[in-house]
Structure formats: C-alpha cells, structure tokens
Amino acid sequence: MRIGTGYDTHPLVPGRKLVLGGVHIPFDEGLEGWSDGDALTHAIIDALLGAAALGDIGQHFPPGEPQYKDISSLVLLEEVKGKLAAKGWQVVNIDATIVVERPRLREYIDDMRATLGKTLSIKIEQVSVKASSNNGLGSIGRGEGIAVYAVALIEGGKDEGI
Ligand SMILES: [Zn+2]
C-alpha cells in the first residue's frame, strides 16, 4: 500500500461556474483556472499521483496547453486512474477537506462523492469529502478563494520491489 497527499487552491472570481468534484454548485462566483478550476478534483489527482510517485498534475497536464482549456477536471482524473491502473495500482480510499467560507457545500457533498467514485470506478463509501470554513481568517476567510487538502491510499502495484 502507498499513501499520497494533495493540495490545491484557486481564486474565486465572478463570471466563472463553480465546479467541485465535478458537481456544479450555484454561486455568483467560480474558480479561476486554465481547466474548469475544480480544486477538489485537482487535489485528489495530486494525492493519487503522489501515492504512486508519478509526479504531479502540472507535469501531466501543463496549464496553457489548448487541449486543457476549460476541460472538465473529471476527464483528467479519469486519465490519472488509467495511469495508476497501468502500473497495477487500485484506489483503496480518498479523504478530502475543502476549506471554503461561502457557499455552504453540505447539500452537494454526496453528489461530489458519487461523481468522483463513478469516475474512479470505486464505491461512494471509498470517497470522503468534507467541508470546513476558515472561521474568517486570511484570504480564504475573506472568501477570495478555496483550498483543498486530500489524501489517497492505493494498493497493488507491480514490479515495485517492495
Ligand atoms: Zn487546480
């Protein structure tokens, strides 16, 4: 088994759709980014790549490349699933914490878990998503952006010599 961590943060700006874990959340601002800005999916991608020691999201999907402009990050997550599977890795579980002041995410959490689980071909029970506020502290507390922490556990792997 291997464990990996991921972290991502994006600014909240007007005129963008807010997408987290592949789920559209009605709000007057969205996350800025080259792709759809889905910080939750990005942090999970980095946790998975980290667990498999396969680098990071920027290496695999460089921002600025036309084919990734406004792309759904679920497409990237699915690609990462393939990269891990090619090395014999399967996802055991994921746990993520979204740090956000507004909007309230509680009613969308299960949708995010189901969407991420479906994309990774794992059960909803293997995907945990939590939301926490920053209690008004700092840039996140002022609502200028969203941060996400994620960990992933994977098992299997081949020719690893461990
Ligand atoms: Zn990101």
Side-chain angles (χ1 to χ4, degrees):
M1 286 194 174
R2 297 279 191 88
I3 192 167
T5 73
Y7 171 77
D8 196 27
T9 181
H10 284 249
L12 273 169
V13 294
R16 293 270 298 179
K17 268 173 72 171
L18 178 58
V19 179
L20 286 168
V23 175
H24 175 229
I25 294 143
F27 191 52
D28 53 9
E29 295 183 308
L31 295 174
E32 194 170 54
W34 185 256
S35 65
D36 62 358
D38 186 340
L40 172 57
T41 300
H42 295 176
I44 289 171
I45 285 174
D46 257 358
L48 290 168
L49 289 172
L54 286 174
D56 64 37
I57 188 170
Q59 268 173 268
H60 290 271
F61 312 106
E65 290 204 0
Q67 75 260 38
Y68 302 127
K69 180 81 184 124
D70 293 324
I71 196 172
S72 165
S73 296
L74 293 179
V75 174
L76 310 182
L77 181 62
E78 197 161 7
E79 270 193 50
V80 166
K81 175 182 77 172
K83 287 174 194 285
L84 263 66
K87 299 267 187 189
W89 293 112
Q90 284 146 13
V91 180
V92 178
N93 77 301
I94 286 163
D95 184 24
T97 301
I98 306 166
V99 188
V100 57
E101 218 68 18
R102 278 187 330 129
R104 303 277 300 189
L105 297 178
R106 183 164 306 210
E107 62 187 293
Y108 304 102
I109 293 286
D110 283 346
D111 253 7
M112 294 179 202
R113 295 172 61 214
T115 303
L116 292 164
K118 194 174 163 207
T119 305
L120 286 169
S121 307
I122 57 178
K123 290 184 253 169
I124 190 171
E125 291 81 8
Q126 291 168 277
V127 185
S128 163
V129 175
K130 312 184 296 299
S132 171
S133 93
N134 224 29
N135 291 321
L137 288 172
S139 56
I140 303 288
R142 289 190 295 272
E144 293 169 12
I146 289 179
V148 183
Y149 300 84
V151 295
L153 188 70
I154 59 175
E155 68 180 351
K158 53 190 180 196
D159 306 318
E160 291 294 311
I162 54 169

